[in-house]
Amino acid sequence: MATGWKPNASSTSRPEFRFSGLDSGRNAATVRRVTSCSSLGIGLAGFGTVGSGVWNTLERNGSLISDRTGGGVTLHIAKILVRDLAKARATNGDAPADILTTNWRALVEDPAVDIVVELIGGTTDAYEIVAAALRAKKPVVTGNKALLAERGVELFALSREMDTPIHFEAAVAGGIPIIRTVQDSFVGNRIHSFSGIINGTSNYILGRMTDAGLTFEDALGEAQKLGYAEADPALDVNGWDAAHKAILLATLAYGFPISPADIHVSGIEQVRPTDINFAKNLGYAVKLLAVIREHGDGAVELRIQPSFIAKTNILASVHGVFNAVAVHGDAAGESLFYGRGAGQDPTASSVVADLVEAARGLRQASGHRGFLPYREIGNILPVGETSTAYYVRFDVTDRPGVVAEIARVLADHRIGISGTHSPVNPSNPDAEFVDMVFLLHTCPFGKLRQALTEIEALDCINSAPVVFRIENLG
Amino acid sequence: MATGWKPNASSTSRPEFRFSGLDSGRNAATVRRVTSCSSLGIGLAGFGTVGSGVWNTLERNGSLISDRTGGGVTLHIAKILVRDLAKARATNGDAPADILTTNWRALVEDPAVDIVVELIGGTTDAYEIVAAALRAKKPVVTGNKALLAERGVELFALSREMDTPIHFEAAVAGGIPIIRTVQDSFVGNRIHSFSGIINGTSNYILGRMTDAGLTFEDALGEAQKLGYAEADPALDVNGWDAAHKAILLATLAYGFPISPADIHVSGIEQVRPTDINFAKNLGYAVKLLAVIREHGDGAVELRIQPSFIAKTNILASVHGVFNAVAVHGDAAGESLFYGRGAGQDPTASSVVADLVEAARGLRQASGHRGFLPYREIGNILPVGETSTAYYVRFDVTDRPGVVAEIARVLADHRIGISGTHSPVNPSNPDAEFVDMVFLLHTCPFGKLRQALTEIEALDCINSAPVVFRIENLG
């Protein structure tokens, strides 16, 4: 049989990525089975950055994948969903016109499509595509963290009901194989915790604020110019992109359904150079950190907040659009997974790995691994019950008594103060409104919130306080 | 059906780690199939540190594994190979006496054993056990890097012939899932390079030499006292343990059979505090580095040598018995995998992951992934053709003209000198024999070796020069 990549200009044959070999095939009553000698068809829903990256990766490395996976898997792209036929043909001349479609049903229902790759993003059409694929017993490969975080409960239930898997390596941390690591490699571990930098846009912005002293707005503008941030960067800077990914990690590790409504998320929009400098001087780096930690009795801490972490911690060395996830398993111990968290090729790398796995699953049997959720017991620990030290910045009217008043409220709530600082702005030493920073000892976040509510009511306070957690990551 | 871990004191039932569920089972002519409703039996060959760790991990997390893998896999330990029955019973009271044996054939040939876990180490009995298991079509899980590096060609061929897999996550980097990452997650990537610290003992020793100024001998003694080094530490300090692991990584990435005879390995036995200090002052850390890099035309650079790496490189922050492997894939980009490279629990974590995978493979079909080797084309680039900068220490008789003579030979070989240094020992300023360090510009190692052969013949040189590569890891 032929091996390797054979681009076909002819419209009568599909481009094929031959992974070599025939296979005897297996039929099973409960699952959609693919008979022997047939090449598996990929339905690529979405042909933008990542979709093109998948095409390119399969084209470039098709014969290598073929060699490595010897034994019975062949793949080809059978259908591609695009938004605009003419534009798609103009952008990628390799894709034969007869496999392009603007109708997602035509893709999902096409008998030539065995595996559906969902790359259009969003939670509406993407939901319909994934659900329809599962109902047709076609395994799904997706990179859509928002979809799975917000509508995962329904989709995972459908996946279980149809005994058809959803693969989502590409949804978390780009090219870093964190999903497969947690699902498979760490299957024998209780996961004590994850600490992660899992949004490259916000990490890039914080890095530029740190290295070049840029304001948040200027750093965001720079990121947008470089293509590291979207025109609408909301999910990246408000922390919800990281939160979606964290929900998926926690679901895998702890097994119970998690709703976005249960978790605490705050982003980096309020971060100022003054905070970054303060952190630096104290030996900290500022990161948007995802923290997932098991407590007793099935309670799981899950929060995304801007945080100070020790400069000596390895996570402080994660720069630019790189991501990293530190995982602590009870058998494996501490580990760290670092790499490119986004981008065309890294994301395509993960999609391709899932395609190969989906293909093997079709050739062999269903239920390659358990379905989600796998536990009934489990809850998200209310963020009010999570404790760290804090950096809090107040915007105050400068007059005598401000520190005393704020300190009085904190004392009433039994919150310890480890330091205060009210830097003078040399270019405006008599400013009416100044920043005042309080460093607070470890206490539960709920107690802090109560105190801050009272403090905000003081007449010297001009706007909502900005809170950073000071993490002791060990 | 029951779920969870049920330790059984009764000798009539086996300890079971129920992974839940029944399964319809599948029979196939070419592979040993396990019929429905049966629990898969593990034959644990070796009940020392790692074997006990596997037992403990399965006992502690059995119900969690059960929940996560829903759908048709149950496992129990059917037989344990020990060296001394009385001692085994004394050490681990949980293992029922009737499943212990000192006869490896009794373990492999036992019809109750479906998966063989080889943990005895070495390359003789371990070879027999693995080969016999494969011939009986029983998948093998092993942590034995020496066995696979030295006799892998035969064993992988047998594995392919018998269509029965060998799983070896535990053989490389302990709990870090680097094998699964390369085999599965990076299946769509050309691997440009690996750079790794993959022997914890030597890394610990170099770390103590760096942090506490110990000599190699003292640091080794300390490591042995703490259990970080064996009574016979040869493979750890001579670089061959790291080399065995590197062979496995390269075999996976490049697909062709690699013989230990083809690769260059040198260890840390000649490292002295003077080298460490010199490196420090220049901004380097000293590490025993495994370098694997693809060149054109199927040539692969593969070498293990003590190296200077920039202190700012993330690998310089890998301390003690931790390991790390930096991987550069053409799609995924740069990534790093860091964690505990050895030890009871981390190694057991990887064995358990492989057990679950082997169990799935038995339930579903053969050929879960391709066999090794998967390419005919490929060769190890002769180390003489690999280029870096170098630090070379000579032991010389101190007299005028030494630098000139050495420099002359280097010039004859067109090797550039970036610096020399002959530190005076304050406690013995008139020493007859001194260290002389030359820092050399980038050139092929073969050229350096030729030059060093000539230099060693000079009458001022007292012993073989010690060479460190200065790596530019980017």
Side-chain angles (χ1 to χ4, degrees):
Chain A
M1 77 297 314
T3 56
W5 158 244
K6 304 179 358 170
N8 276 304
S10 154
S11 66
T12 57
S13 47
R14 300 283 174 259
E16 295 187 342
F17 311 95
R18 288 199 172 275
F19 291 179
S20 97
L22 302 174
D23 133 313
S24 55
R26 302 196 192 300
N27 281 300
T30 57
V31 288
R32 185 169 172 285
R33 186 57 45 237
V34 185
T35 55
S36 54
C37 308
S38 57
S39 177
L40 295 172
I42 300 169
L44 199 60
F47 203 44
T49 304
V50 181
S52 304
V54 173
W55 176 286
N56 294 340
T57 302
L58 289 172
E59 177 173 1
R60 185 173 73 249
N61 292 334
S63 73
L64 177 60
I65 297 167
S66 167
D67 288 349
R68 286 170 170 169
T69 58
V73 170
T74 67
L75 286 174
H76 66 274
I77 291 184
K79 208 91 180 175
I80 305 179
L81 179 72
V82 299
R83 267 189 283 243
D84 178 326
L85 287 170
K87 190 172 160 201
R89 276 194 295 265
T91 318
N92 190 328
D94 288 334
D98 61 334
I99 67 170
L100 301 180
T101 178
T102 53
N103 175 355
W104 70 257
R105 279 190 201 282
L107 182 144
V108 175
E109 293 169 10
D110 190 334
V113 168
D114 301 297
I115 302 170
V116 174
V117 182
E118 185 277 298
L119 297 172
I120 65 169
T123 56
T124 49
D125 282 355
Y127 179 91
E128 301 303 329
I129 290 171
V130 173
L134 293 174
R135 283 195 196 97
K137 288 190 168 291
K138 299 184 182 184
V140 170
V141 174
T142 180
N144 197 335
K145 67 280 296 177
L147 176 68
L148 295 178
E150 306 213 358
R151 306 191 71 179
V153 174
E154 303 150 77
L155 290 174
F156 289 137
L158 185 57
S159 165
R160 179 189 289 275
E161 180 194 336
M162 304 306 302
D163 200 20
T164 300
I166 303 173
H167 302 276
F168 53 94
E169 185 70 73
V172 182
I176 309 171
I178 190 65
I179 298 299
R180 193 164 308 216
T181 288
V182 176
Q183 256 183 341
D184 295 348
S185 299
F186 283 11
V187 69
N189 285 260
R190 282 185 73 133
I191 307 287
H192 290 321
S193 68
F194 300 88
S195 311
I197 294 167
I198 49 179
N199 177 268
T201 302
S202 54
N203 196 53
Y204 177 85
I205 290 170
L206 289 172
R208 293 296 289 150
M209 293 178 71
T210 303
D211 301 335
L214 301 183
T215 62
F216 168 77
E217 291 75 18
D218 286 348
L220 170 59
E222 193 188 89
Q224 285 169 318
K225 273 208 206 73
L226 292 170
Y228 294 151
E230 312 274 338
D232 176 5
L235 291 182
D236 290 317
V237 300
N238 69 17
W240 273 99
D241 175 78
H244 291 151
K245 296 162 178 173
I247 284 173
L248 297 179
L249 290 177
T251 308
L252 283 176
Y254 306 108
F256 63 93
I258 296 170
S259 163
D262 295 335
I263 71 178
H264 180 90
V265 182
S266 60
I268 64 166
E269 310 96 307
Q270 304 303 321
V271 179
R272 291 201 200 139
T274 186
D275 308 315
I276 308 260
N277 288 332
F278 206 94
K280 262 195 218 176
N281 292 336
L282 289 175
Y284 292 105
V286 179
K287 294 293 187 188
L288 182 65
L289 202 67
V291 173
I292 304 169
R293 188 175 287 132
E294 69 167 353
H295 290 246
D297 300 326
V300 173
E301 177 174 352
L302 201 176
R303 51 185 179 78
I304 287 77
Q305 296 172 276
S307 307
F308 285 20
I309 64 174
K311 265 194 247 183
T312 52
N313 187 283
I314 202 165
L315 286 174
S317 306
V318 177
H319 299 306
V321 294
F322 279 84
N323 284 185
V325 183
V327 187
H328 191 150
D330 72 336
E334 298 140 353
S335 58
L336 181 88
F337 304 90
Y338 164 96
R340 294 187 170 277
Q344 182 180 54
D345 288 341
T347 312
S349 170
S350 290
V351 170
V352 168
D354 278 352
L355 278 169
V356 170
E357 170 141 12
R360 284 198 193 111
L362 282 173
R363 287 287 178 218
Q364 294 161 10
S366 72
H368 176 67
R369 62 171 66 76
F371 291 93
L372 292 170
Y374 56 80
R375 294 222 133 158
E376 288 175 7
I377 313 161
N379 64 284
I380 297 297
L381 189 71
V383 71
E385 294 176 40
T386 68
S387 296
T388 55
Y390 305 88
Y391 162 109
V392 185
R393 170 165 47 81
F394 298 99
D395 170 18
V396 305
T397 303
D398 195 14
R399 58 162 175 71
V402 171
V403 174
E405 289 171 38
I406 295 174
R408 174 79 264 146
V409 177
L410 292 169
D412 289 345
H413 285 81
R414 315 201 69 68
I415 295 173
I417 300 170
S418 63
T420 74
H421 186 62
S422 191
V424 175
N425 181 346
S427 52
N428 189 7
D430 297 319
E432 188 182 0
F433 307 119
V434 296
D435 288 330
M436 184 164 285
V437 166
F438 274 67
L439 294 174
L440 306 176
H441 284 306
T442 300
C443 74
F445 190 60
K447 207 194 287 195
L448 174 65
R449 280 200 294 203
Q450 286 170 348
L452 292 181
T453 304
E454 280 188 44
I455 291 170
E456 263 197 85
L458 297 172
D459 70 348
C460 58
I461 304 294
N462 299 320
S463 58
V466 177
V467 178
F468 292 72
R469 303 198 75 144
I470 300 178
E471 294 286 346
N472 180 9
L473 295 176
Chain B
M1 83 293 316
T3 53
W5 157 245
K6 303 181 358 173
N8 276 305
S10 149
S11 66
T12 58
S13 49
R14 299 283 174 257
E16 297 189 338
F17 311 98
R18 287 197 171 277
F19 291 3
S20 95
L22 303 173
D23 135 312
S24 54
R26 302 193 193 302
N27 282 301
T30 56
V31 288
R32 184 170 172 284
R33 184 61 41 234
V34 185
T35 57
S36 53
C37 309
S38 56
S39 178
L40 296 173
I42 300 169
L44 199 60
F47 203 42
T49 304
V50 181
S52 304
V54 172
W55 176 286
N56 294 340
T57 302
L58 290 171
E59 176 173 1
R60 187 175 71 248
N61 292 333
S63 73
L64 177 60
I65 298 167
S66 169
D67 290 349
R68 285 171 170 167
T69 57
V73 170
T74 67
L75 286 175
H76 65 276
I77 291 185
K79 209 88 177 179
I80 305 179
L81 179 72
V82 299
R83 265 188 284 241
D84 179 324
L85 287 170
K87 190 171 161 204
R89 279 194 294 265
T91 316
N92 190 329
D94 289 333
D98 60 335
I99 67 171
L100 301 180
T101 179
T102 53
N103 175 353
W104 70 257
R105 281 190 200 283
L107 182 145
V108 175
E109 293 167 9
D110 191 333
V113 168
D114 302 298
I115 303 169
V116 174
V117 182
E118 185 277 299
L119 297 171
I120 66 168
T123 56
T124 50
D125 282 355
Y127 179 90
E128 300 304 328
I129 290 170
V130 173
L134 294 174
R135 283 194 197 97
K137 287 188 169 292
K138 300 184 181 184
V140 170
V141 174
T142 181
N144 195 336
K145 65 282 294 177
L147 176 67
L148 294 178
E150 306 214 358
R151 305 191 71 178
V153 174
E154 304 150 76
L155 289 174
F156 289 136
L158 185 56
S159 165
R160 178 189 290 276
E161 179 194 335
M162 303 307 301
D163 199 19
T164 301
I166 302 173
H167 302 277
F168 52 95
E169 184 71 75
V172 182
I176 310 173
I178 190 66
I179 297 300
R180 195 164 307 214
T181 290
V182 176
Q183 254 182 342
D184 294 348
S185 300
F186 283 12
V187 69
N189 284 260
R190 279 186 77 133
I191 307 288
H192 290 320
S193 67
F194 299 89
S195 309
I197 293 166
I198 50 180
N199 177 270
T201 303
S202 53
N203 197 54
Y204 177 85
I205 290 170
L206 289 172
R208 293 296 290 148
M209 293 179 72
T210 301
D211 301 336
L214 302 182
T215 61
F216 168 77
E217 292 74 19
D218 287 347
L220 170 58
E222 193 187 88
Q224 286 169 318
K225 275 208 203 75
L226 291 170
Y228 294 151
E230 314 273 340
D232 176 5
L235 290 182
D236 291 318
V237 300
N238 69 17
W240 272 99
D241 175 77
H244 291 151
K245 296 163 181 172
I247 285 174
L248 296 178
L249 290 176
T251 306
L252 283 176
Y254 305 109
F256 63 94
I258 297 169
S259 163
D262 294 335
I263 71 178
H264 179 90
V265 182
S266 59
I268 63 166
E269 311 97 306
Q270 304 304 318
V271 178
R272 292 204 200 135
T274 185
D275 307 315
I276 307 262
N277 288 332
F278 206 96
K280 262 195 216 177
N281 292 338
L282 289 176
Y284 292 105
V286 180
K287 294 293 188 188
L288 182 65
L289 202 68
V291 173
I292 303 168
R293 189 174 287 131
E294 67 166 357
H295 291 247
D297 300 325
V300 173
E301 176 174 352
L302 201 175
R303 52 187 178 76
I304 287 77
Q305 296 171 278
S307 307
F308 285 20
I309 66 174
K311 265 194 246 184
T312 52
N313 187 284
I314 203 166
L315 286 175
S317 307
V318 178
H319 299 306
V321 294
F322 279 83
N323 283 187
V325 183
V327 187
H328 191 151
D330 72 337
E334 296 140 353
S335 58
L336 181 86
F337 304 89
Y338 163 95
R340 292 187 171 276
Q344 181 178 54
D345 289 342
T347 312
S349 170
S350 291
V351 170
V352 168
D354 278 353
L355 278 169
V356 171
E357 170 141 14
R360 286 197 193 111
L362 282 174
R363 287 287 180 218
Q364 295 160 10
S366 72
H368 177 63
R369 63 172 66 77
F371 290 93
L372 294 172
Y374 57 79
R375 297 219 131 159
E376 289 175 4
I377 312 161
N379 64 283
I380 297 299
L381 188 72
V383 71
E385 294 175 41
T386 66
S387 295
T388 55
Y390 304 88
Y391 162 108
V392 186
R393 170 165 47 81
F394 299 99
D395 171 18
V396 305
T397 304
D398 194 13
R399 56 160 177 71
V402 170
V403 174
E405 290 171 38
I406 296 174
R408 174 79 264 147
V409 175
L410 291 168
D412 290 345
H413 287 81
R414 315 201 69 68
I415 296 173
I417 299 169
S418 62
T420 73
H421 186 62
S422 192
V424 174
N425 182 346
S427 50
N428 188 7
D430 297 318
E432 189 184 356
F433 308 118
V434 297
D435 288 331
M436 185 164 287
V437 167
F438 274 68
L439 294 174
L440 307 176
H441 286 306
T442 301
C443 74
F445 190 59
K447 206 192 286 192
L448 175 64
R449 280 201 293 204
Q450 287 171 348
L452 292 181
T453 305
E454 279 189 45
I455 292 169
E456 263 196 85
L458 297 172
D459 68 350
C460 57
I461 304 293
N462 298 321
S463 58
V466 177
V467 178
F468 291 73
R469 304 200 74 145
I470 300 178
E471 293 286 346
N472 180 9
L473 296 176

